[in-house]
Amino acid sequence: MPYTTYLVEKGASHSFVAEAKPPTVTMPRIKALMTGSLPGFVDVVRNLNSPALWKRIIFYGDETWVKLFPKHFAEYDGTTSFFVSDYTEVDNNVTRHLDKVLKRGDWDMLILHYLGLDHIGHISGPNSPLIGHKLSEMDSVLMKIHTSLQSKERETPLPNLLVLCGDHGMSETGSHGASSMEEVNTPLILISSAFERKPGDIRHPKHVQQTDVAATLAIALGLPIPKDSVGSLLFPVVEGRPMREQLRFLHLNTVQLSKLLQENVPSYEKGSHPAPAQCPTGTAQKG
């Protein structure tokens, strides 16, 4: 993936290795990415606070998303993952929308979930000669999206954010669901012109939790962190901001986590920790 590699090594980006907790299968991993919660943490929709907060979202790809969030997408086209032997049509059905949707300005968030790479793994394993071709295809998709976002930024003062991630990894036999290193380690790359990078700035991928994505996106979008999120803010994403803002972001994350502890740990001593009242109402909703 030469274009992606360039962005990781020299572009305005931050890259991580995100640990996905077992079971390493799609539905609980999507919940972790979107809500920051672990399997068994109550109702996924309740964790999202409110459908209205997420503004206008467009989705194309694995229909699991549509089943999880049936009323959250302004527009969608779900693709069934049932036919594991198909690794071309499932992805073509996503990519065919790209040219039109990237030209439009009527959405706040675009989610694409490609299935082909996963299906190739199930068919013939991670060492299949088909893997290289599919990674090249995904690299071209990322380049198309990134260059489109860059051109749009000439018309608006606000930077865009492009997130590249996997919901789970793949074992040496091409399966997933368990807890081997190959199954739980997933790539996570955040790309934005907001991440200034000087020549020669070498950034080594840090190991983080997959649940950290939700808290980071919420803070970046000026939204409340999902109430059952156990994730932490990915600090490199905000380290270029003024110190006062950095402290405010960390405070928001700390208050949310302390509230979660109070509600779920009987032995938690409420009096010895910052009370949630210290966070002014509505602070998290300000950009």
Side-chain angles (χ1 to χ4, degrees), residues 63-79:
E63 64 181 5
T64 304
W65 288 79
V66 182
K67 294 175 180 176
L68 277 173
F69 312 115
K71 297 179 181 178
H72 283 70
F73 301 124
E75 179 182 312
Y76 62 88
D77 186 5
T79 302

Side-chain angles (χ1 to χ4, degrees), residues 39 95 107 166 179 205 227 232 285:
T95 302
W107 49 270
S179 56
K227 69 180 301 294
S232 300
Q285 296 180 16

Side-chain angles (χ1 to χ4, degrees), residues 108-176:
D108 300 299
M109 183 181 292
L110 173 65
I111 301 175
L112 309 172
H113 187 150
Y114 284 89
L115 288 162
L117 196 61
D118 178 71
H119 286 191
I120 291 172
H122 286 298
I123 297 168
S124 51
N127 298 312
S128 166
L130 297 171
I131 291 283
H133 294 292
K134 181 57 68 174
L135 288 174
S136 178
E137 178 188 339
M138 294 298 100
D139 194 50
S140 298
V141 167
L142 184 128
M143 181 169 66
K144 179 191 285 284
I145 297 170
H146 186 236
T147 53
S148 173
L149 293 179
Q150 282 183 311
S151 65
K152 282 181 178 293
E153 285 190 2
R154 301 186 189 116
E155 306 162 11
T156 174
L158 293 175
N160 292 293
L161 174 66
L162 175 56
V163 180
L164 176 66
C165 61
D167 52 343
H168 54 71
M170 184 187 298
S171 73
E172 286 301 311
T173 59
S175 63
H176 57 88

Side-chain angles (χ1 to χ4, degrees), residues 167-268:
D167 52 343
H168 54 71
M170 184 187 298
S171 73
E172 286 301 311
T173 59
S175 63
H176 57 88
S179 56
S180 69
M181 185 179 70
E182 293 81 11
E183 290 167 274
V184 301
N185 282 347
T186 68
L188 173 61
I189 307 169
L190 277 64
I191 305 158
S192 174
S193 60
F195 306 147
E196 295 181 6
R197 190 166 187 169
K198 298 176 181 178
D201 181 3
I202 299 173
R203 298 176 177 176
H204 299 288
K206 296 178 173 62
H207 282 254
V208 299
Q209 295 298 311
Q210 195 177 55
T211 47
D212 296 340
V213 174
T216 303
L217 289 181
I219 287 173
L221 292 168
L223 299 172
I225 300 171
K227 69 180 301 294
D228 287 326
S229 168
V230 297
S232 300
L233 169 67
L234 297 172
F235 193 71
V237 174
V238 300
E239 62 186 1
R241 306 300 300 167
M243 182 63 69
R244 186 179 181 85
E245 286 189 31
Q246 293 181 34
L247 290 171
R248 184 169 70 90
F249 296 150
L250 290 171
H251 178 70
L252 291 170
N253 198 182
T254 302
V255 167
Q256 179 267 327
L257 289 172
S258 67
K259 239 181 136 178
L260 189 63
L261 275 172
Q262 290 177 25
E263 294 171 0
N264 292 279
V265 179
S267 60
Y268 183 88

